Amino acid sequence: MEGKNSLESQLRAAGRRMTPQRILILSILDETGDHLDAEEVYRRAKKLNSNLNIATVYRTLGILKEMDLIEQRYFARDHSIEYYESVNKGEHYHFTCLGCRKIIEVETPKILQVQQEFSALTGAKFTHACVCFEGYCASCVDEEENLTL
Ligand SMILES: [Zn+2]
Ligand SMILES: [Zn+2]
């Protein structure tokens, strides 16, 4: 693992080549507003390039993540599935509905404020914040209320 990481950073320092597979997968994630897992990325990529296999998709996702071009996220607390999205979407967090599994993006400056306050207080420098929200979306809350009436 250690060796792989140093190879990655060397390649990054040397400026990595954008291969057609990398461009294809990056453009799928750039263009969608959705949060895709590797299987869904593969399903969409395969339509555009039938030569792709799932191993290449996994490898390419890993490389794009190393290049800081995509974000890897976990939504459920058990971290059972990794989702990918473009870094171009900017700072946001995710709410997962435990009822219908819908994902709602949470945009708030508050997390950044917490980081800034904590940094000012302790001198620590944040590089990443991982915050996930879980609960029930409005329609699942409604459904629950209708059932109990
Ligand atoms: Zn729901
Ligand atoms: Zn998102």
Side-chain angles (χ1 to χ4, degrees):
M1 216 54 195
E2 200 53 39
K4 181 181 167 288
N5 280 337
S6 65
L7 177 66
E8 295 288 0
S9 43
Q10 280 167 18
L11 284 169
R12 191 164 36 189
R16 293 183 84 143
R17 232 157 41 88
M18 283 305 284
T19 64
Q21 293 100 304
R22 289 175 199 167
I23 292 166
L24 175 67
I25 289 174
L26 188 61
S27 69
I28 288 170
L29 288 166
D30 261 338
E31 281 157 28
T32 184
D34 297 340
H35 302 86
L36 310 181
D37 62 12
E39 305 250 323
E40 182 58 23
V41 172
Y42 170 64
R43 214 179 56 76
R44 295 187 187 195
K46 183 98 177 147
K47 280 189 198 156
L48 302 164
N49 177 354
S50 56
N51 294 324
L52 269 184
N53 62 56
I54 186 102
T56 304
V57 169
Y58 273 109
R59 198 168 52 241
T60 304
L61 286 168
I63 292 165
L64 292 173
K65 192 178 75 172
E66 290 287 336
M67 294 168 85
D68 288 327
L69 295 172
I70 61 171
E71 292 262 21
Q72 175 196 15
R73 306 198 187 266
Y74 298 100
F75 295 144
R77 267 185 300 177
D78 63 4
H79 285 193
S80 53
I81 305 177
E82 301 168 353
Y83 294 89
Y84 296 89
E85 67 183 335
S86 165
V87 292
N88 295 332
K89 290 174 86 177
E91 182 88 7
H92 67 278
Y93 305 91
H94 299 92
F95 172 94
T96 306
C97 176
L98 297 171
C100 65
R101 310 307 294 180
K102 180 163 79 179
I103 290 154
I104 305 171
E105 295 193 328
V106 181
E107 285 184 54
T108 169
K110 300 244 161 51
I111 308 285
L112 194 61
Q113 283 169 20
V114 170
Q115 293 184 33
Q116 286 163 346
E117 285 166 19
F118 185 81
S119 288
L121 214 60
T122 66
K125 184 179 179 295
F126 282 77
T127 53
H128 179 70
C130 177
V131 181
C132 78
F133 301 98
E134 276 182 357
Y136 293 90
C137 73
S139 56
C140 286
V141 168
D142 281 351
E143 231 167 80
E144 186 69 21
E145 280 168 2
N146 287 337
L147 285 176
T148 52
L149 280 175

